[in-house]
Amino acid sequence: MDPTAAKIVLATQRGDSINRIASKIDVSYSWVYDWIERLENAEIIVNTDNGLQIVDHEMRQQYAEMMAALYSRDPISQEDAYVIPHFAGMEFAYTEIDAAYVWTHGGYQIARSHDDYPVFIEVHDRDVERWIAFFQQFGINTTISERPDASDVNGNTHYVLFPKTNNIEVEWVDGSPVIPLDTAVDQMMENRPAYEPALEIIANEYDRDIDASHHSATE
């Protein structure tokens, strides 16, 4: 009953590679590889030619209860805020501020602090109630389509869900599922003054003709 083992089991989706799991939970490849071997020996996970697969779903549920108990005791760190959604077993993609955050590899932040840290994710409309119930296990507040006032939120980390009735388009960057770059740029252009530093980073890294300039990139 180790937290790293629990994170691996909870974050694993059928077909994931060890490298993807390591990126999802922000743990070194070698450490995850070692744990995968132990979990295989315990017949909790199998590593097939088509990727990883959970075979002991009862143990997965026990891990879920353990992690919910651990996370609900203390404030959620910024790092763990990007790990927890992977435990839900539902498709999602980072959007809005987090699309800029992910596409710039964490190089751009705006209008967030350690005391008020909303995380913005696209989810399927059909899964909204399940997402709300999932985050409730961790004692985390959830709102729909709109960022709440910090005084209305318990704790520092909370999630803002953007329901989608159509398919969610997902690209993977640094182990994080995120809306496509073109969509993210379109969102940023709607509030260009706030996102100018992020647009500059993206223009330079991804060779996009955005005509963005700023005196420096925000750390």
Side-chain angles (χ1 to χ4, degrees):
M1 297 299 289
D2 180 90
T4 300
K7 288 181 179 181
I8 291 169
V9 172
L10 294 175
T12 296
Q13 296 294 307
R14 181 189 292 266
D16 276 348
S17 65
I18 295 176
N19 189 56
R20 173 160 288 185
I21 296 300
S23 296
K24 281 183 178 182
I25 66 173
D26 195 24
V27 174
S28 71
Y29 178 91
S30 60
W31 190 233
V32 173
Y33 183 92
D34 181 62
W35 267 110
I36 292 292
E37 286 192 330
R38 300 187 206 183
L39 290 165
E40 274 200 287
N41 290 336
E43 299 182 344
I44 297 171
I45 278 181
V46 292
N47 191 3
T48 71
D49 292 339
N50 296 319
L52 299 170
Q53 181 178 339
I54 303 297
V55 291
D56 189 337
H57 295 281
E58 182 178 348
M59 180 59 76
R60 186 189 189 282
Q61 181 58 35
Q62 291 182 27
Y63 277 140
E65 293 170 2
M66 179 185 78
M67 295 307 290
L70 288 175
Y71 278 121
S72 62
R73 293 179 57 186
D74 301 304
I76 305 297
S77 68
Q78 180 179 327
E79 292 76 17
D80 283 339
Y82 294 96
V83 174
I84 290 173
H86 290 293
F87 299 165
M90 293 177 278
E91 188 177 32
F92 72 97
Y94 293 111
T95 186
E96 302 290 333
I97 294 174
D98 282 301
Y101 180 74
V102 171
W103 278 110
T104 61
H105 312 289
Y108 180 74
Q109 282 280 29
I110 182 175
R112 292 197 285 203
S113 66
H114 292 293
D115 296 329
D116 179 24
Y117 200 89
V119 179
F120 302 83
I121 60 176
E122 278 189 2
V123 301
H124 290 291
D125 183 70
R126 64 177 183 269
D127 293 335
V128 167
E129 294 303 319
R130 291 176 61 201
W131 277 106
I132 292 172
F134 169 75
F135 287 125
Q136 282 179 340
Q137 297 177 74
F138 298 89
I140 303 173
N141 287 128
T142 312
T143 53
I144 309 297
S145 300
E146 187 173 352
R147 178 179 182 170
D149 188 273
S151 61
D152 296 330
V153 176
N154 294 322
N156 51 354
T157 298
H158 50 103
Y159 292 86
V160 183
L161 308 181
F162 290 84
K164 301 284 288 185
T165 54
N166 300 323
N167 291 335
I168 297 176
E169 294 186 65
V170 176
E171 295 190 34
W172 286 84
V173 178
D174 303 331
S176 296
V178 62
I179 60 174
L181 181 58
D182 288 342
T183 306
V185 169
D186 288 343
Q187 287 184 352
M188 287 183 260
M189 294 295 281
E190 292 176 3
N191 189 14
R192 181 163 183 155
Y195 284 103
E196 198 75 29
L199 290 167
E200 182 181 3
I201 294 171
I202 288 169
N204 291 334
E205 178 171 349
Y206 302 102
D207 194 26
R208 296 300 175 100
D209 185 16
I210 299 174
D211 188 25
S213 61
H214 190 266
H215 64 280
S216 66
T218 303
E219 292 184 0

